[in-house]
Every structure is written in C-alpha cells, then in structure tokens.
Amino acid sequence: MGKIFKEFNEEKWEQVRTHPYFGKLRENTLAMAEEFMRKDPMVIKFSMIHSFVASGNRERFEGVYDDYINRLNCYFVSYMLTLDDKYIEPLADIIWNICDFESWSIPAHVKEELSIAERRKNLDLCSTISASRIAEVLYFIGDKLPALVQRRAKEEIQYRIIDSYRDATVERYWWLESKNNWSAVCIASILTTYLCVATEDEIKTQLPRMMKSADCYLSGFEEDGCCLEGYAYWNYGFSYFCKFASLLNEYTDGRINYFEREKVRKIALFQESITLNENQCISFSDSTVEFMPLGWLSHFLKGIYPELRLPKIPPSDYAHAPLRHILWQNPELSDATFDASEPARFEFENAQWFIYRDKDFALGCKAGHNKEPHNHNDVGSFIISKGGKVGFCDPGVGQYTRQYFSSERFSLMLCSSRGHSVPIINGEYQKNVPDKSTVLISERNRYAFNMEKVYRIECLKSLVRDFECTDTHIRMTDTYEFTEQPTSVVERFVSLVPFEVSEGKIASGNSTMYFDKARFSVSTGSETVDRKGNKRGEVYYADLTVISPKKNMTFEFIFD
C-alpha cells in the first residue's frame, strides 16, 4: 500500500496558514466557525424529511442536512489552520449529531417505505460523501477526538457504508453501473472511506468493483471528452472522479493511473471549450449559465496535464470547504493562461455541439437528441454572447424537486422545448424521444443539422437549422418542408432578460436579431421559473408566428 493523501502534509498546511493567497479563506473559515459555535444546528424533524413526499420540496431538509456537513468541514479545517483544541469539542459534537441521523441519505434518494435498517444503510450521493468527510477526520486527527466518539463514528461507518457496499447489488443500487455523475461521486467517497477506516482485506476485496464503477462513469463521456450532462456536472462528477483516480494512483504506488488514459486527458480539457465569455458558458442540459470554474480542480489537472490552460479563477474563500478544495489549490497557478472569449472553434461530433468564438461574439448550438443524460427537450437550442454578455440563451438548470425528476419533468418550462429557442409547430413542442439529428454541414464557421425527428409530426418532412458565423454577424436559417400545409409555425426565442421589440428586430442583451417583419406577427411574454439554488425569476420569450404558413418555407434571422 502506497502513501495516500500526499497533499495532506505539514508543508502544504503551513502554506495554507500563511500564504496571502489563502488569506480570505482563512478569515472566512475561522469567522464561520465562531458563528457556528454561537448557535446550535437545527434539529432535524420528521416533517422536514417528509416534505419531499408531501410536496416535492427538497430544500427544507437538504438545507439543514448541509448545515451539519458544513459545520463538520469548518471545524475540521479551523483546527488544521490553528491547531487550537477549542474546535475539537464542537467537531466531536457535530460528528455525534450526524451519527444520530436516521439515514445519511437525503429523502429524494431513499424511499420512505424501506425498512429502518435499509434506510440507515442506504448508499447514495449524500450518505457516501458524509461518511468520507467523517472518515477523513478520523484518519487525520481521530486521536484528538474522545474515544467514544471515535468508536461510534467507526461503527456507524462500518455498518452504513463499508458493510452496505460489500453487500450492494446492481438490482438495489443502479448507480454501481451508471454512466453519469452518481458512479463517480459515490465510488470516490466510498474509496476514501475504505482507505481511512476499512481493513486492508476489505479494501483489496472491493477495489475491483470500485474500478468497474469508475469505468462505467468514463463510458458516459464521448471519446472527445464532451460531458452530455452539462458543464455543471463535469465540475461535480469529474472532480470526484479525480479524487478517486488520485487516491487509487497513490494506493497502488502508481500501478493504476487513470490519468494516463487519453480519454481522461480529453475530459480534463473540456472546460476550455465551453466558455462564451469570461463569466458565462454553454448551459445545455442541467447546467448553469454562469461560468464557475473550480480553482482547486483546475490547479490539480494543470499539475497532471501541463498543456491545460487555466481560466481566470479567483482564490477560493469558501468558509466550509472540504480538504481537497483547499489542498489542491496552488497559489503559483493563480494567473489565467487563456482568455475565455478568445477566438476559437470547437465541435463535439457525437454530442453534436458546436461552439464558435470570434472577436466580440460567440455562438453555442446543439443538435443531438432528447434522451440525453439530464435531458432537456432542446434539439436546435442556441446561445449567443456579444460584448461579454449573453442575450438569446439556453436558460439551463431548474430547481431540483420531486417533479423535476419525474414524469412531470417535461411539463416544466426549463426542461421543455417551450423554454428553449426552438420552433413550435402545429401547437406541438418537441418530444422526449431518442431520435438523433444528422449534421448536414460542418465547416469552420458554419453548422447545419436536421431536427424534424424530435417533433413526431407526421406532415413535417424536414426541418433544417443552419448557423453561419461571419465577421459581422451570425445568420440562422430555418428551412421547413411539409407534406401538407401546417396549421401554425412559431419561431420562439428565449432570454433571461426582457426583449426590446421594434419594427423587424428584437434586442436581447447586447444582441439584436433582424427578421422579415412582413412574414411574422410578434408577441412576447414570460414565465416565472424556479432555478437551482432557490432562485426564482423570469424566462422571457418572443414568439414570431408565421402569418401565412406554407408547405415549403425558409426563414432567415440575423444576429449582430
């Protein structure tokens, strides 16, 4: 067994304690610890747990749960920053409190009808992460904790995670062979927990299963590194994969090194391709509009792949950051090495994403299909940035509720095609179907594809969307072919800022779209949506309704 957690060493901690780069993090962490110690966490009530079943609300429970884990992280890091024993008692208390939880899983991930024993040992994102955080405390400073707290924490971890994972089957836990972020997050957390608490025999017995899950996760990426779940889930899932791969590399003394795989290198470079300007990025699937690179992850990857270029990333000042979010940061890499708005062209062929940046503007568009991971019905969706500001957009991720991950998903505006800049034909939105587009033109500054298959409208023979980028503008052309005259065709455009409509043009942000006013009647409106993070706001839409729809039609829209 090789030395693990190599980044956890006195030299690195001394840098964290003294270097100006970490100054704000130190200040915020210690201030937050003082605030936490002044007020006890809320008691978790049954009504909080039941609120997910009762109303679909996740935040009522998860906000309180997160507070416990944030306190755990904060007290641990505060001790490491100061070596002051005053943080040990509240740390022991919060570990004891977490051990009292009826389940370490969140209500969205564990059914109420399961037996108490099954609920207690359920394996999900949150139970495995929480266990890993406690396990790291035990591994590094466990001898500082009261003996009873140590014993109880180890026994809870043994029952809830180590024994539970030993007995886990795919029939019970689908994520064991999942191609999405779940497999990476759970396996990274489980490996961390095993290495900190389990016996050597337990580790060696279960390691092949963990690697199988990691391989399943990687298989969910395209060969060119595209993350179909969206950039936010690249940040989330791939960061945990990196934790897993790093620990495995250390544990095996370099004999198993996932970072040597070419596919992993390409996944690591994905972040460079999805920026539209310094602050905004491609927001397809369940991703955010805001470009929020993780400094600690970017710095870690830069250490492995020297060719990786870093975006502008401010020092982390997160007051309750987990260990690697701190220890993987490198003050020597604080300067950006690429401009997020520099001219570039990227195409992810199988995903059918096209990104084009040139001078003052950028375009991101997608074809693909409507059965993608964290899918939105969004074939043909596009985003335009001008002057460092997105106007016409893909609104991105919504608030996670029970309804969001149910059969009701595509009734929600942010997941439905009605919340994207795509046509509404004969009153019909796109369907949640696997029919994939065909890319018809792929040139340096031009990208065209068909999108009729996702409408499942019998009389719609063909619909081709064609983007062409010039030095001065972006041209989008939609060409329709019907077998009979359609009853209605509406070209919908969406934005997170209100539209300004005038004769033959519509402005959004810094972009203005020009169209043939003689062929359309224009109406605008908005719909209130809940965005992730309990953010409520409007999605604005402009509907250009074709005045006289015909069997064969071509419409041109110019954005400058």
Side-chain angles (χ1 to χ4, degrees), residues 10-232:
E10 186 53 36
E11 181 181 355
K12 182 64 181 182
W13 274 111
E14 188 60 26
Q15 182 189 62
V16 176
R17 292 172 188 137
T18 60
H19 197 288
Y21 179 87
F22 294 101
K24 199 67 176 176
L25 181 142
R26 293 192 297 269
E27 177 185 339
N28 290 352
T29 300
L30 297 178
M32 182 62 75
E34 293 298 320
E35 183 178 332
F36 281 152
M37 287 189 289
R38 283 195 294 270
K39 186 177 180 180
D40 289 338
M42 291 181 65
V43 174
I44 291 180
K45 302 176 181 179
F46 170 74
S47 58
M48 296 176 183
I49 296 170
H50 189 61
S51 63
F52 177 73
V53 171
S55 67
N57 181 284
R58 293 175 57 154
E59 292 299 315
R60 189 177 172 206
F61 174 87
E62 291 178 26
V64 178
Y65 186 112
D66 289 345
D67 181 60
Y68 280 85
I69 303 305
N70 291 342
R71 287 167 184 261
L72 172 69
N73 295 335
C74 186
Y75 293 144
F76 181 25
V77 173
S78 293
Y79 174 80
M80 293 307 305
L81 287 173
T82 64
L83 302 180
D84 190 333
D85 285 345
K86 76 175 185 178
Y87 298 108
I88 296 300
E89 183 176 304
L91 179 61
D93 284 344
I94 208 69
I95 291 173
W96 190 268
N97 291 154
I98 295 170
C99 288
D100 281 340
F101 286 8
E102 174 260 344
S103 175
W104 286 352
S105 295
I106 60 173
H109 298 162
V110 59
K111 296 178 180 179
E112 285 194 1
E113 57 265 30
L114 289 176
S115 70
I116 298 301
E118 286 295 317
R119 286 175 58 81
R120 185 173 168 225
K121 63 181 181 179
N122 190 66
L123 298 173
D124 76 329
L125 300 171
C126 299
S127 67
T128 58
I129 291 172
S130 297
S132 72
R133 302 280 165 79
I134 297 173
E136 286 175 337
V137 173
L138 294 174
Y139 185 84
F140 292 113
I141 61 169
D143 60 338
K144 301 288 183 182
L145 297 170
L148 179 58
V149 175
Q150 293 181 56
R151 292 202 312 274
R152 186 179 184 200
K154 287 178 181 178
E155 288 188 17
E156 292 289 345
I157 289 172
Q158 184 73 37
Y159 178 80
R160 294 180 190 246
I161 304 298
I162 294 173
D163 292 348
S164 184
Y165 180 69
R166 178 199 63 206
D167 300 333
T169 64
V170 176
E171 290 73 24
R172 176 68 178 85
Y173 297 108
W174 57 271
W175 58 260
L176 289 168
E177 296 183 0
S178 167
K179 296 181 179 182
N180 67 21
N181 65 90
W182 271 69
S183 53
V185 175
C186 292
I187 287 304
S189 302
I190 288 171
L191 177 61
T192 301
T193 302
Y194 264 72
L195 292 178
C196 290
V197 175
T199 67
E200 188 69 13
D201 284 345
E202 286 173 324
I203 296 168
K204 289 181 177 179
T205 300
Q206 299 304 325
L207 201 54
R209 297 178 66 212
M210 298 183 198
M211 292 175 61
K212 182 179 179 181
S213 291
D215 289 337
C216 287
Y217 170 71
L218 291 178
S219 72
F221 286 85
E222 305 295 345
E223 290 301 317
D224 54 19
C226 183
C227 181
L228 287 170
E229 294 182 277
Y231 173 61

Side-chain angles (χ1 to χ4, degrees), residues 23 30 35 87 96 127 155 170 186 189-190 213 242 269 274 294 360 381 398 419 436 462 481 491 512 520 527 552 556:
L30 297 178
E35 183 178 332
Y87 298 108
W96 190 268
S127 67
E155 288 188 17
V170 176
C186 292
S189 302
I190 288 171
S213 291
C242 288
L269 298 177
I274 49 77
L294 302 176
D360 194 41
S381 182
K436 191 173 184 177
S462 173
E481 184 179 350
E491 291 278 4
T512 300
F520 299 99
E527 187 171 329
N552 296 286
E556 186 175 273

